[in-house]
Amino acid sequence: MMMSIYSRKCDRHTVPTNIFTGSDGDRLRDIIFTEEDVLKRLLCLQEDKSTGVDEMSSRLLKPVCHGITVPVALLFNLSTSECKVPNDWKLANVTPIYKQGSRNSPENYRPISLTCHLSKVMESIIRDVITQHLNKFDLINSSQHVFRRGRSFVTNLLAFLDKVASYRDDKESVDIIFLDFTKAFDKVPHSRLMSKIISHGIDDRVARWIGDWLGNRM
């Protein structure tokens, strides 16, 4: 069953077009983790979240966050400066969540990966910095709704209905094709993903850290 999740790598690798139009100095090459940012994320930890392989719960981290902010910020900065992710952060406890259909079929369960809370804190800061970079240089297509702040499948549906209604008002026909990719995130080739990241003006330490984060996960 596990092998069906993955697909063979394609020998042909199309290099994405460089869509970043900023100067070389505007490229996102490094991220500095401040004590203020780390403390803010630690204070936002949800105490009902399950622990990762380190068994360090948010109930433990949150009350002592003021005392651990400095060493945690140092750890995050060391990780990005060396472009290395701690091995423990690449380990996940996978919990199957039932979706629908027969409970005897593995395909009817959604795997939830439980990783260390500190790794998720670092990932959230990096995600926000990358998102700011993409928004600043208008690198996300306006048709993208999911995973964007202030947008969702609802805004996507409203935009779609508005477009269809305008065609109907003009008495034009409308053809609609719906596509759904099975295990889409699991099948993204890492080499193509990294090329895409660099084409968006994200490289050097940030890109190399992401590349290390993707590899050797268990």
Side-chain angles (χ1 to χ4, degrees):
M1 191 276 293
M2 291 299 295
M3 291 301 295
S4 65
I5 294 178
Y6 304 98
S7 59
R8 292 178 179 271
K9 289 184 178 180
C10 180
D11 294 333
R12 293 176 299 174
H13 183 185
T14 303
V15 178
T17 302
N18 185 21
I19 67 172
F20 181 71
T21 58
S23 66
D24 190 63
D26 289 329
R27 300 183 73 85
L28 180 58
R29 302 180 183 277
D30 199 3
I31 295 177
I32 303 300
F33 297 86
T34 66
E35 296 174 16
E36 292 77 13
D37 286 339
V38 173
L39 178 60
K40 179 181 178 180
R41 302 304 170 109
L42 290 174
L43 288 171
C44 291
L45 287 173
Q46 299 181 29
E47 297 184 4
D48 60 341
K49 295 297 183 181
S50 301
T51 62
V53 294
D54 61 353
E55 298 185 355
M56 192 175 296
S57 70
S58 54
R59 291 188 179 92
L60 169 64
L61 294 172
K62 196 169 183 178
V64 300
C65 61
H66 289 85
I68 65 174
T69 296
V70 173
V72 169
L74 290 172
L75 176 63
F76 289 175
N77 284 309
L78 180 62
S79 177
T80 52
S81 66
E82 296 185 351
C83 304
K84 293 291 184 181
V85 178
N87 290 331
D88 286 350
W89 291 2
K90 296 185 179 184
L91 300 177
N93 292 330
V94 180
T95 301
I97 303 298
Y98 173 73
K99 295 189 299 182
Q100 60 183 1
S102 172
R103 292 184 179 271
N104 296 324
S105 175
E107 296 180 353
N108 292 329
Y109 289 82
R110 180 164 57 97
I112 300 297
S113 295
L114 302 176
T115 55
C116 303
H117 286 298
L118 287 182
S119 69
K120 288 187 283 190
V121 169
M122 184 177 182
E123 292 162 20
S124 68
I125 296 175
I126 293 177
R127 175 204 62 205
D128 287 351
V129 173
I130 290 177
T131 300
Q132 291 172 7
H133 169 81
L134 297 175
N135 289 333
K136 178 180 179 181
F137 295 99
D138 196 23
L139 297 172
I140 303 179
N141 195 292
S142 60
S143 63
Q144 174 71 35
H145 286 259
V146 183
F147 305 119
R148 297 189 67 183
R149 181 169 296 178
R151 297 192 180 195
S152 66
F153 72 94
V154 175
T155 58
N156 185 19
L157 182 60
L158 290 173
F160 165 76
L161 290 175
D162 180 67
K163 195 70 173 180
V164 172
S166 66
Y167 282 127
R168 296 286 294 179
D169 290 341
D170 294 335
K171 300 186 182 304
E172 296 182 15
S173 61
V174 179
D175 296 323
I176 303 171
I177 300 176
F178 291 95
L179 299 176
D180 187 18
F181 297 94
T182 303
K183 303 290 184 182
F185 287 102
D186 298 316
K187 293 183 177 181
V188 174
H190 290 173
S191 59
R192 295 188 184 184
L193 176 60
M194 293 307 302
S195 296
K196 196 78 171 178
I197 288 173
I198 294 173
S199 72
H200 283 66
I202 304 169
D203 56 21
D204 204 11
R205 287 181 176 178
V206 178
R208 283 187 287 155
W209 187 92
I210 295 174
D212 189 74
W213 183 88
L214 290 169
N216 300 317
R217 304 194 70 86
M218 301 178 64

